[in-house]
Amino acid sequence: MKSNRLSKSTVAQMRRRSFLKGVLAAGAASVFAPRVLLGAGSSGKVNLACCGIGNRGADDVKALQATGLANIVALCDTDMGAPHTQEVLKMFPDVPRFQDFRQMFDKMGKDIEAVSVGVPDFSHFAIAMLAMSLGKHVYCEKPMAHSFRQIELMMQAEKKYKVAAQMGNQGHSEANYFQYKAWVDAGIIKNVTKITAYMNSSRRWHGMKASGLLPEQPIPPGLDWDVWLTTAEDHKYNKGYMNGDWRSWFDFGNGALGDWGAHIFDTSHEFLKLGLPTEVEAVKLEGYSQFIFPQASTLAFRFPARGSQPPCELTWYDGQHNLPPLPSNLGAAVVDPNIPPPTTGSIDTKKLPPGKVIYGEGLTFKGGTHGSTLQIIPEEKAKEMASKLPPVPKSPSNHWKNFLLTAMGQEKCRSSFAVAGPLCQTMALGVIAQRVNAKLAFDPVTKQITNHKVANGLLAGVPPRPEWEQYYKL
């Protein structure tokens, strides 16, 4: 006789659907309004749930905890108990643990005021959208999301639910941020017409060839593969997608551009008010594949005039041998000693470290990545300008503290979704150009690609699996 008892997974799915229906019906934020919308709990700290507690997610957990302003109340990871989660688990042995962020909000929503999202690029969206719809503040790793549409919805949610939302490009709270702003305000950096940005270190997919997706392997018993996929289309499990290797695949990552662009040309994008480009051209792609990122890419982003500022072309170079044209008087490269090493090793700074050259009116600047400051080139010109440079204020808080203080109503997020969103959408357009290997015409007003039907369709990303459609309606 067949049992009428429902499986645990079926019951869990029913509970999650019922929970989300309640969120949608009640106007979302009113379901579990945070204890204080722009403040901290009774402890004087922000009650924080951490989604993603291994690899980069672990770095965020430790950095947020080190501020002294976070009270860690929940830990969530789809691979809870895996080796890369052990350090954080040992730090917080008594904190409730979850593999499914939906269950975490279902059971602990009233106890959570903010959420860190340190998971793969493609799975930022669902966690961040649910959190914001419940009135929770969000610290989300870069880039914000996987598709142009997802980024757009996240920007709208930040505004709609009036939460603190910070993207994790930590250089936005370090010296380069304050220097760049001061130099623009003082007219030192002005009328920029050309930016060269580059990241020529080895990437995971260099040397890889892919004629299709990876073959199916048994799902490890401790991994919730369905939740790991979130809104992505169904894939068969393979360890080649896990622990950072997802960066290699168009279906999951954003390549070298999405990974490093937010650390290299973020301040130029904000303080030069670049906004969205009108043209993105795949100038050069080596090792083109439908599945993994090219072995090398040269991408040209063309931004129109903005008020009194002239049109600007930003050219991106990635690939170990795709070196950019640089001024002969560049001198030594600018290297930020605080760059966190990738999980596969370290950035090779003996060759050409990641960086940029900015061509303005009368002056040329070289810079590195993250928080490293700009230098005027050549050296003789830098000496001549030294007495004319404005004072640069020191940062009042690091990036994680800035987020928590904003949640407490004391500061303003320096890399809010409103600021980071157009930057990430620009990079998303670059990824689309890599995928279709074409020159794209983009209308920043209608936010449509006007000359390439397939590319325009990619703005929306892949249709989510049925259970995940509702996250696009929050």
Side-chain angles (χ1 to χ4, degrees):
M1 183 176 179
K2 187 179 289 186
S3 171
N4 290 324
R5 182 175 297 174
L6 297 174
S7 69
K8 289 183 179 180
S9 61
T10 301
V11 171
Q13 285 188 7
M14 290 174 65
R15 288 185 67 197
R16 290 195 297 263
R17 291 190 185 111
S18 176
F19 171 65
L20 278 170
K21 284 179 181 177
V23 170
L24 288 165
S30 63
V31 176
F32 286 137
R35 197 174 300 167
V36 180
L37 184 61
L38 282 174
S42 58
S43 66
K45 298 182 179 182
V46 177
N47 288 342
L48 180 71
C50 301
C51 294
I53 64 167
N55 301 319
R56 181 59 186 163
D59 295 336
D60 285 331
V61 175
K62 290 183 286 185
L64 287 159
Q65 174 70 2
T67 65
L69 299 176
N71 178 35
I72 310 295
V73 297
L75 301 175
C76 185
D77 200 290
T78 57
D79 204 9
M80 186 70 74
H84 56 278
T85 69
Q86 291 300 319
E87 183 180 7
V88 170
L89 291 178
K90 290 175 182 176
M91 288 176 64
F92 307 100
D94 300 322
V95 171
R97 303 171 182 182
F98 300 88
Q99 282 191 282
D100 189 328
F101 68 94
R102 298 168 295 185
Q103 292 179 0
M104 179 186 74
F105 283 120
D106 194 0
K107 293 182 179 180
M108 294 192 61
K110 294 180 180 179
D111 301 315
I112 296 169
E113 296 175 318
V115 180
S116 67
V117 183
V119 297
D121 296 356
F122 72 94
S123 51
H124 291 174
F125 173 74
I127 301 171
M129 286 298 289
L130 182 55
M132 287 188 288
S133 74
L134 297 174
K136 315 304 181 188
H137 311 296
V138 175
Y139 183 96
C140 181
E141 267 302 329
K142 52 79 206 164
M144 279 170 55
H146 194 235
S147 72
F148 189 99
R149 177 193 178 197
Q150 288 180 342
I151 298 164
E152 186 74 18
L153 291 173
M154 289 168 71
M155 286 191 287
Q156 292 174 8
E158 175 192 42
K159 183 177 180 180
K160 178 180 179 180
Y161 297 115
K162 298 179 174 62
V163 294
Q166 177 101 304
M167 188 177 79
N169 51 336
Q170 65 268 33
H172 241 61
S173 288
E174 297 176 12
N176 173 250
Y177 176 90
F178 296 94
Q179 179 205 42
Y180 208 118
K181 184 179 187 305
W183 284 15
V184 168
D185 290 346
I188 303 299
I189 301 174
K190 64 180 179 180
N191 294 331
V192 174
T193 56
K194 178 181 173 183
I195 301 170
T196 301
Y198 44 91
M199 199 301 180
N200 300 110
S201 298
S202 174
R203 309 303 292 152
R204 294 168 183 269
W205 57 91
H206 288 165
M208 281 178 59
K209 292 183 179 180
S211 56
L213 297 174
L214 296 174
E216 183 176 8
Q217 293 178 340
I219 300 174
L223 173 67
D224 191 328
W225 177 243
D226 181 72
V227 179
W228 189 89
L229 286 172
T230 60
T231 59
E233 61 185 329
D234 190 37
H235 285 67
K236 303 301 181 183
Y237 170 81
N238 188 290
K239 66 179 182 180
Y241 298 134
M242 302 299 293
N243 294 326
D245 286 327
W246 49 266
R247 292 192 184 280
S248 303
W249 300 84
F250 280 123
D251 285 359
F252 299 127
N254 288 277
L257 174 64
D259 192 18
W260 281 86
H263 292 313
I264 296 174
F265 55 82
D266 54 336
T267 43
S268 289
H269 187 274
E270 178 175 359
F271 296 122
L272 300 181
K273 300 179 181 178
L274 292 178
L276 295 171
T278 52
E279 196 170 271
V280 181
E281 181 178 0
V283 177
K284 172 184 174 182
L285 298 182
E286 292 181 0
Y288 172 78
S289 167
Q290 297 180 48
F291 303 97
I292 62 173
F293 284 88
Q295 302 298 296
S297 303
T298 302
L299 302 171
F301 299 85
R302 299 181 180 109
F303 299 90
R306 289 112 29 236
S308 61
Q309 297 193 66
C312 181
E313 180 167 301
L314 187 157
T315 309
W316 168 265
Y317 297 83
D318 68 48
Q320 293 173 274
H321 305 293
N322 187 33
L323 301 181
L326 297 173
S328 58
N329 57 5
L330 182 73
V334 178
V335 180
D336 187 333
N338 299 311
I339 296 175
T343 52
T344 53
S346 60
I347 298 298
D348 186 356
T349 58
K350 294 180 181 178
K351 294 182 180 179
L352 184 64
K356 66 255 186 178
V357 177
I358 301 163
Y359 298 86
E361 181 182 324
L363 293 172
T364 302
F365 310 86
K366 66 177 178 180
T369 181
H370 291 71
S372 58
T373 53
L374 296 174
Q375 298 176 22
I376 297 170
I377 57 173
E379 187 176 343
E380 295 76 20
K381 189 66 175 179
K383 292 178 180 178
E384 176 189 327
M385 291 293 298
S387 62
K388 303 175 184 178
L389 299 177
V392 176
K394 292 184 178 180
S395 179
S397 55
N398 71 22
H399 210 51
W400 299 271
K401 188 174 182 179
N402 172 237
F403 165 68
L404 293 170
L405 287 172
T406 304
M408 297 166 70
Q410 298 178 29
E411 288 192 4
K412 182 179 178 181
C413 285
R414 299 186 192 103
S415 190
S416 66
F417 287 179
V419 169
L423 167 68
C424 291
Q425 287 185 320
T426 295
M427 295 189 294
L429 289 170
V431 170
I432 291 174
Q434 288 176 310
R435 294 194 74 162
V436 299
N437 193 11
K439 179 179 180 180
L440 308 178
F442 182 75
D443 185 338
V445 177
T446 63
K447 297 186 178 181
Q448 296 289 304
I449 294 170
T450 59
N451 69 328
H452 198 296
K453 186 175 181 180
V454 172
N456 191 57
L458 290 173
L459 291 170
V462 298
R465 293 175 293 145
E467 187 179 349
W468 299 89
E469 291 175 351
Q470 51 208 323
Y471 291 85
Y472 292 79
K473 302 174 185 177
L474 291 172

